[in-house]
Amino acid sequence: MAEQQAVQRRRGRGGRERVLAAATALFEVQGINTTSMEQVAAAAPVSKRTLYAHFPTKDDLVVSYLRDLVESGRTLEGVLERADLPPEERVLALFEAPDDVDPIRGCPFIDAAAEFPDPTSPVHEFAAEQKRRLLAHLTDLTSALGAANPRSLAEQLAVLVDGAASRSMVLNDANCAQHAKAAARALLAAATPDHREPG
């Protein structure tokens, strides 16, 4: 009996993982709102019953997709937690566009918030929380760099990050990130005049 239950649990996890993988692929190619739950179930493949057992609503699925991106480190913000890099390098790494992505995808949180514009929706709230989390990380790093007003500098850097992601996606041009990186360097230099990168 215990062995049968273990098998069922493994199958359940496998079904959930297949649903998330299918949803991720479909969301990134055709967007969230244009992807139906039926399409996700067919791509997984799982029955609709299994799909709705794991994700009772579309909101549940989208929030789980976004949370999976965060927890797996597949977002740019993950670099801010890298203890092997000094603070300034972590900040500047936010502007490193991947070389092997065509077309360039924008920030998944901005994309999700745009597709769920109601600020009280679970998806929009989760996306907003990730933007607040980004700001908190940047504030910690700019404080470590000795900025006189770390919160203000962090806000400016966050605007550059989001602007670069959106512009890169719209124009499908990775050079947008490099322009933003140059602006970020200038902001850091102006706000932390006593900071020197280690040689």
Side-chain angles (χ1 to χ4, degrees):
M1 184 68 166
E3 183 178 345
Q4 183 180 5
Q5 289 174 339
V7 170
Q8 289 175 338
R9 283 196 298 270
R10 284 197 297 272
R11 285 179 179 168
R13 282 201 301 270
R16 186 179 191 281
E17 290 162 2
R18 290 199 307 275
V19 169
L20 274 178
T24 298
L26 289 168
F27 291 162
E28 290 181 353
V29 170
Q30 61 189 36
I32 296 171
N33 284 337
T34 56
T35 298
S36 68
M37 294 292 269
E38 289 75 15
Q39 285 179 300
V40 174
V46 297
S47 67
K48 289 183 186 176
R49 180 177 178 179
T50 297
L51 171 63
Y52 285 106
H54 289 296
F55 306 101
T57 68
K58 178 84 172 280
D59 282 1
D60 293 324
L61 177 58
V62 177
V63 170
S64 294
Y65 149 70
L66 294 174
R67 182 175 286 112
D68 185 60
L69 291 179
V70 174
E71 292 176 353
S72 63
R74 299 197 314 272
T75 62
L76 277 177
E77 291 86 344
V79 74
L80 297 181
E81 298 178 359
R82 286 186 54 183
D84 61 313
L85 293 178
E88 185 168 348
E89 286 185 28
R90 290 189 227 177
V91 172
L92 294 176
L94 286 171
F95 302 95
E96 293 297 328
D99 297 326
D100 57 348
V101 176
D102 187 23
I104 294 172
R105 298 187 181 100
C107 170
F109 307 119
I110 293 176
D111 293 346
E115 293 203 53
F116 290 79
D118 179 357
T120 65
S121 78
V123 174
H124 198 108
E125 286 183 342
F126 186 86
E129 179 56 34
Q130 299 316 301
K131 291 303 174 184
R132 288 189 285 270
R133 184 169 166 261
L134 170 65
L135 180 63
H137 276 307
L138 286 170
T139 301
D140 288 344
L141 292 173
T142 52
S143 179
L145 288 169
N149 192 336
R151 176 63 182 257
S152 178
L153 178 57
E155 288 277 12
Q156 293 166 15
L157 291 167
V159 169
L160 280 177
V161 171
D162 289 340
S166 297
R167 190 168 175 82
S168 295
M169 182 272 293
V170 170
L171 299 177
N172 197 35
D173 184 357
N175 288 325
C176 296
Q178 293 306 307
H179 297 314
K181 187 175 186 177
R185 281 187 190 278
L187 281 174
L188 289 168
T192 57
D194 296 329
H195 175 68
R196 296 290 182 270
E197 289 188 61

